[in-house]
Amino acid sequence: MKNQSVLLYLFWGMMIFASCSKMDAYLDISGRQEISYTGRVDSLKILPGDGRLELTWLLISDPKITGITIYYNSKRDSVILPVKRTAGVDSMYHLFSNMPEGTYSFEVYTWNNTGSRSVPAYITGRSYGSIYKNSLLNRALTNAIISDGNAVLSWGLVEETVTGMEVTYTNNAGSTVTVKEPRTANSTTLKDYQPGSSFSYRTLFRPDTLCIDTFYTTAVTRTPQ
């Protein structure tokens, strides 16, 4: 048992020695200086949109940060943003336009004038386009009747990503009126409705709660009973 303990101590001693030797060799190569990193971005978010994406983040630590580099498309493309720190927390964003529908990954670095930079912050998001738009369906209209000079519309079940409905009609004065309703509406009243005329409606969608754009279905035309 005593011999086993001695062997165990010798083993761990050799491991520690080897680790220290590797560190010394690394420090010799780097001029006996450890790598210095700038503070990483905080609260990194990605906001999807219609053929575009917006990145937002906070700078909380490290007042010496002077720039941001964002890589995307497997580092084939990048954006460099200058930074002018304030005394507090700095909120920043960058909008990427002309981003065809698809999924994108980003790497975000901070850096300073001495050449130090942060460890990367990673994030992935999706832009939307014609494929998504073509998949959208109008909210079901279950009934449309004339009552007391108004047109009353009744709505069916609503999808989770629907944000509302938009109805356009003609009133008795011959004016075009547009009514916007929230997703919670089960019915819509079109006041002073012109008899015999038709109305059109479309449904509004946001595929993500952080989405910066609203998507619309193709308008459908109906005539109330």
Side-chain angles (χ1 to χ4, degrees):
M1 181 65 69
K2 185 175 180 180
N3 290 337
Q4 290 179 347
S5 298
V6 171
L7 290 173
L8 185 61
Y9 283 128
L10 287 173
F11 172 77
W12 284 113
M14 292 175 64
M15 292 294 291
I16 293 171
F17 176 78
S19 178
C20 292
S21 297
K22 289 180 180 179
M23 179 59 71
D24 286 340
Y26 167 77
L27 291 174
D28 286 337
I29 294 172
S30 61
R32 309 300 294 181
Q33 294 181 357
E34 295 185 11
I35 295 176
S36 176
Y37 293 99
T38 53
R40 195 166 78 155
V41 299
D42 195 82
S43 303
L44 179 62
K45 295 179 181 178
I46 189 164
L47 286 60
D50 186 0
R52 57 184 188 162
L53 290 160
E54 183 175 282
L55 265 62
T56 68
W57 62 89
L58 300 177
L59 296 179
I60 296 176
S61 62
D62 199 342
K64 296 181 180 180
I65 293 172
T66 55
I68 301 283
T69 299
I70 305 173
Y71 293 102
Y72 60 106
N73 286 338
S74 300
K75 282 193 171 183
R76 291 190 298 270
D77 297 303
S78 63
V79 172
I80 297 176
L81 306 173
V83 172
K84 187 174 182 180
R85 290 302 312 272
T86 65
V89 175
D90 293 315
S91 177
M92 296 187 66
Y93 72 93
H94 183 75
L95 180 64
F96 290 86
S97 301
N98 301 317
M99 304 292 277
E101 187 167 15
T103 301
Y104 296 87
S105 296
F106 298 87
E107 295 181 34
V108 183
Y109 296 83
T110 69
W111 42 269
N112 61 25
N113 287 333
T114 66
S116 298
R117 75 172 186 173
S118 68
V119 294
Y122 298 99
I123 197 165
T124 298
R126 176 189 173 189
S127 68
Y128 295 88
S130 58
I131 296 175
Y132 173 73
K133 294 174 187 177
N134 291 335
S135 72
L136 301 178
L137 299 175
N138 268 306
R139 184 177 181 180
L141 183 67
T142 59
N143 204 6
I145 61 172
I146 297 294
S147 176
D148 297 327
N150 302 320
V152 180
L153 316 182
S154 298
W155 302 104
L157 297 176
V158 61
E159 293 183 28
E160 184 178 350
T161 56
V162 169
T163 61
M165 295 75 65
E166 185 179 273
V167 185
T168 300
Y169 72 100
T170 304
N171 64 16
N172 279 321
S175 300
T176 300
V177 180
T178 298
V179 176
K180 292 186 177 181
E181 294 279 63
R183 70 184 307 275
T184 54
N186 293 317
S187 65
T188 298
T189 298
L190 308 179
K191 296 181 179 180
D192 196 25
Y193 190 88
Q194 185 182 81
S197 64
S198 299
F199 65 90
S200 64
Y201 74 95
R202 57 182 183 171
T203 308
L204 287 61
F205 288 83
R206 288 181 68 197
D208 188 298
T209 56
L210 296 178
C211 190
I212 57 178
D213 292 311
T214 298
F215 296 83
Y216 298 83
T217 59
T218 301
V220 175
T221 301
R222 295 285 185 269
T223 302
Q225 299 175 6

